[in-house]
Amino acid sequence: MTEIALFGAIEIGLVYALVAIGVYLSFRILDFPDLTVDGSFPLGAAVCAVLLIAGVNPWLASLAAALAGAVAGLVTATLNVRFKILHLLASILTMIALFSVNLRVMGRPNVALLMQDTVLTPFYGLGIPDHIVRPLVVGLIVAAVVLLLARFLSSEFGLAMRATGVNARMARAQGVDTDAHVYAGIALSNGLTGLAGALFAQTNGFADVTTGIGTIVVGLAAVIVGETVLPARALALALIGCVAGSILYRLAVQVALSADSIGLQASDLNLVTALLVAVALILPRLKAKASRGAPRNPSAAK
Amino acid sequence: MSFTRLLCAAAALAAFVGPFAAPVEALAQSKTVAITAIVQHPALDATRDGVVEALKDAGFVQGQNLKVEYQSAQGNPATAAQIARQFAGSRPDVIVPISTPSAQAVAAATRDIPVVFTAVTDPISAQMVKSMDKPGANITGLSDMAPVAEHVALIREIVPQAKRIGVLYNPGEPNSVVLVKALKDEAAKAGLSVVEASVPKSSDAQPAVRSLVGKADAVYIPLDNTVVSALESVIAVGQQAKLPIFSADTDSVARGTVASIGFDYFQVGKQTGAIVARVLKGEKPGDLPVELARGTDLFVNPKSAAAMGVTLPDAVVKRATKVVGQ
């Protein structure tokens, strides 16, 4: 793996870490399987791209992208909470609707940003190579998000949100407005995904309607790999686990991309990636089994 | 933490197998071309095969003095971005991205490795290059923009008395707007005038083509989803009013347009490969103008032509790739 490829994988892993954190919020904390992210990711990219073309400040454009994602999340939450549509179905409805919305926002299927100023522009030309500047800037943004979110989830509101996910009935008995926490949590989750879409568009030079495909799978894989690598009870560590999981997932893709040297074809990429992640998930379990088995066998204990 | 260890081991393995193969061959003056496409489908695969074929014609034979790397992003733009980084790191002699998102990802990943893109419809609005004639920097390539000039020539050959070309399109479709502008340019060069009729929604197609009866001698339909979805209503008017209808896409010929010229993507690949060969031989991509793909597949529909009051010249029928509607 070359240095540029390695930093590239880290950079894309960091961008998708925001998705992983979003999925962690909805899927783990709120126990709400939310597929909206497949639509809110390209929505963030689209909103950011058209605003950049219109000359808006890149940071403001990124913020607007996050807000757009949050609004998409609110739509899903409304369909679920207010109109009692099953969460999975509610999020699928928002996701497919967003495909049309994204085409409307962009006016065409692909908006190019290769020649636009982005949040990264001021950091280029400071003497650090581009392929290191990008993960550095994205990494700082992700670090800020992790810090803010860890604080938020330890606040009274955040604790109530976690209680909502663990046991909604108990939370309501304690006077928690569980509906409000579902709205806030799903909005926050998709807001982070929208921000990720905006960063993806800015680091790769384009927004495309197809950028959303498979976002939920990548997010879930990152969360689960992260939980395996960093089995943490502390919330801040769990968030860091999401980031680590996302980067590891991208490194697995990178290894799969080099698999042609052992006779695999380009079309085998998804299979190889899935196998690498599966091995990562199975190995710790086997190891745990082995260590548990050890005391029962005194001869092996020596 | 065993995953990390495993991953490190795998990464180390890949790092060893990957780059070490290249330097050994480099001693034998070998060149490396890295090709990537956003998805695998027949047209894009044919483009890739065409590139390799053209390189062979130019003396770069795969396995002898040429190494071809190929990666497909399997429809996932994040993977496309990662492939672009991988290529930027392994430093091949030329990177050939196929399709717009792949090309943009590669352009964002490198500013010095030569890039020859292909199957990008509009390289200017995709911001791949600033100008088609002098791209500058490290990028040139080939646009698979519909061959409007060839379409105008075809209309003139089949309907020699035509002075005015009508065009049906939805002003809301960016792709159509680009094609209509190209049509105006090409028609002007040929001394023809263009009469526009707008079709904001499919149900407007029939009234729009009626409005062209008497005002146009032939009608051209660009790659416009709105009009193409209402094609039969347009064909019906063409037959009633003896107004020949031409289309930019070859698929519509079977549905009743007179004729069209489209791309054979293997030839698109060969045309791209010829540019790649020039870069491999030392020319700078920035000095090579972006080429327009040359249409090669000619589809004709003699039955429909007769119904619209025109006879296809023998020369046209003879060189047609496909004669439909018989």
Side-chain angles (χ1 to χ4, degrees):
Chain A
M1 195 183 298
T2 60
E3 190 191 318
I4 293 183
L6 176 67
F7 280 104
I10 294 173
E11 172 199 328
I12 298 166
L14 284 167
V15 169
Y16 276 87
L18 294 173
V19 177
I21 294 171
V23 170
Y24 179 82
L25 272 178
S26 56
F27 187 62
R28 282 288 188 244
I29 293 195
L30 281 171
D31 199 18
F32 188 126
D34 177 22
L35 306 186
T36 317
V37 290
D38 269 27
S40 52
F41 186 86
L43 175 69
V47 168
C48 179
V50 292
L51 289 178
L52 287 182
I53 299 272
V56 173
N57 174 288
W59 292 101
L60 273 180
S62 305
L63 187 69
L67 286 176
V71 170
L74 283 179
V75 172
T76 298
T78 308
L79 289 174
N80 173 247
V81 174
R82 176 117 201 246
F83 299 106
K84 309 285 175 224
I85 298 174
L86 181 72
H87 36 38
L88 212 52
L89 186 58
S91 66
I92 289 174
L93 291 175
T94 314
M95 175 186 84
I96 59 165
L98 281 174
F99 187 84
S100 303
V101 172
N102 293 339
L103 273 173
R104 277 281 175 173
V105 170
M106 296 198 286
R108 55 200 145 124
N110 180 294
V111 173
L113 297 173
L114 287 167
M115 295 171 189
Q116 249 65 41
D117 281 353
T118 66
V119 289
L120 291 139
T121 312
F123 300 96
Y124 288 137
L126 293 180
I128 313 168
D130 291 359
H131 66 273
I132 297 177
V133 165
R134 282 193 296 245
L136 217 56
V137 175
V138 178
L140 285 174
I141 296 173
V142 171
V145 166
V146 167
L147 280 176
L148 287 173
L149 210 60
R151 288 201 66 167
F152 167 74
L153 288 171
S154 318
S155 70
E156 202 172 322
F157 191 88
L159 286 169
M161 185 183 283
R162 289 155 74 183
T164 302
V166 175
N167 188 337
R169 190 186 280 183
M170 177 77 96
R172 273 193 296 274
Q174 302 293 326
V176 171
D177 180 355
T178 52
D179 288 355
H181 287 89
V182 171
Y183 280 114
I186 300 302
L188 190 56
S189 162
N190 284 285
L192 289 172
T193 308
L195 178 63
L199 291 176
F200 183 84
Q202 293 180 78
T203 49
N204 291 291
F206 68 98
D208 194 285
V209 276
T210 61
T211 33
I213 297 168
T215 306
I216 182 69
V217 180
V218 175
L220 270 176
V223 168
I224 293 165
V225 171
E227 284 172 347
T228 313
V229 183
L230 252 180
R233 292 207 161 260
L235 197 101
L237 275 180
L239 294 178
I240 293 169
C242 291
V243 179
S246 180
I247 293 174
L248 286 174
Y249 179 83
R250 282 297 147 194
L251 289 173
V253 173
Q254 198 63 51
V255 171
L257 281 173
S258 314
D260 58 335
S261 47
I262 51 167
L264 290 163
Q265 291 180 357
S267 52
D268 299 326
L269 174 66
N270 282 357
L271 179 65
V272 176
T273 311
L275 279 174
L276 281 171
V277 174
V279 166
L281 297 176
I282 295 165
L283 270 186
R285 224 153 274 214
L286 290 180
K287 213 173 132 195
K289 220 179 192 178
S291 61
R292 247 185 287 129
R296 276 188 223 135
N297 186 348
S299 62
K302 280 184 222 167
Chain B
M1 285 295 165
S2 52
F3 176 58
T4 339
R5 230 176 289 144
L6 170 88
L7 204 74
C8 290
L13 186 77
F16 269 92
V17 183
F20 272 111
V24 176
E25 283 171 30
L27 294 173
Q29 288 294 310
S30 183
K31 301 282 187 187
T32 306
V33 172
I35 308 176
T36 176
I38 186 74
V39 286
Q40 285 181 285
H41 71 59
L44 298 187
D45 290 353
T47 309
R48 177 199 60 201
D49 296 343
V51 170
V52 177
E53 178 80 13
L55 286 173
K56 195 171 140 197
D57 294 347
F60 297 98
V61 183
Q62 197 177 355
Q64 291 178 20
N65 58 349
L66 177 71
K67 184 167 180 268
V68 177
E69 282 176 39
Y70 171 71
Q71 297 285 2
S72 145
Q74 315 235 311
N76 188 326
T79 310
Q82 213 167 338
I83 291 170
R85 304 299 205 286
Q86 190 193 20
F87 285 171
S90 64
R91 302 202 65 82
D93 295 286
V94 179
I95 303 178
V96 183
I98 306 175
S99 75
T100 304
S102 285
Q104 289 167 324
V106 168
T110 181
R111 293 182 205 178
D112 49 1
I113 301 171
V115 175
V116 179
F117 60 80
T118 188
V120 172
T121 305
D122 188 352
I124 303 261
S125 79
Q127 297 190 354
M128 292 301 298
V129 292
K130 277 186 182 136
S131 123
M132 300 285 272
D133 298 332
K134 268 211 116 346
N138 60 326
I139 300 178
T140 187
L142 182 128
S143 148
D144 62 350
M145 167 91 180
V148 180
E150 293 175 54
H151 290 156
V152 171
L154 185 70
I155 295 174
R156 292 184 73 197
E157 193 177 356
I158 296 175
V159 197
Q161 74 280 12
K163 290 275 170 280
R164 305 161 297 176
I165 302 179
V167 58
L168 286 177
Y169 74 109
N170 178 356
E173 289 195 32
N175 201 33
S176 308
V177 175
V178 172
L179 283 180
V180 170
K181 192 185 168 295
L183 174 72
K184 283 185 188 162
D185 293 348
E186 295 301 332
K189 277 185 214 163
L192 304 173
S193 63
V194 172
V195 190
E196 295 176 41
S198 79
V199 182
K201 51 186 192 297
S202 289
S203 55
D204 298 324
Q206 200 171 29
V209 69
R210 283 226 172 87
S211 79
L212 289 174
V213 176
K215 282 199 247 166
D217 310 309
V219 170
Y220 179 72
I221 299 170
L223 296 164
D224 186 293
N225 298 314
T226 314
V227 181
V228 172
S229 62
L231 191 68
E232 279 71 19
S233 63
V234 177
I235 302 289
V237 174
Q239 291 177 348
Q240 288 154 19
K242 302 288 173 216
L243 181 63
I245 313 282
F246 292 82
S247 57
D249 66 305
T250 47
D251 293 333
S252 292
V253 180
R255 290 169 69 186
T257 62
V258 174
S260 179
I261 296 173
F263 299 125
D264 168 349
Y265 273 85
F266 185 74
Q267 296 298 331
V268 168
K270 283 190 78 172
Q271 200 183 340
T272 311
I275 309 174
V276 177
R278 289 174 69 182
V279 174
L280 286 179
K281 283 175 180 161
E283 290 189 66
K284 284 201 174 61
D287 298 338
L288 302 174
V290 175
E291 292 185 18
L292 289 175
R294 287 188 287 271
T296 47
D297 279 354
L298 170 64
F299 282 38
V300 294
N301 189 334
K303 203 172 149 194
S304 201
M308 291 174 182
V310 289
T311 319
L312 289 172
D314 284 343
V316 174
V317 180
K318 250 182 216 153
R319 65 168 200 268
T321 328
K322 201 169 176 189
V323 179
V324 293
Q326 281 180 322

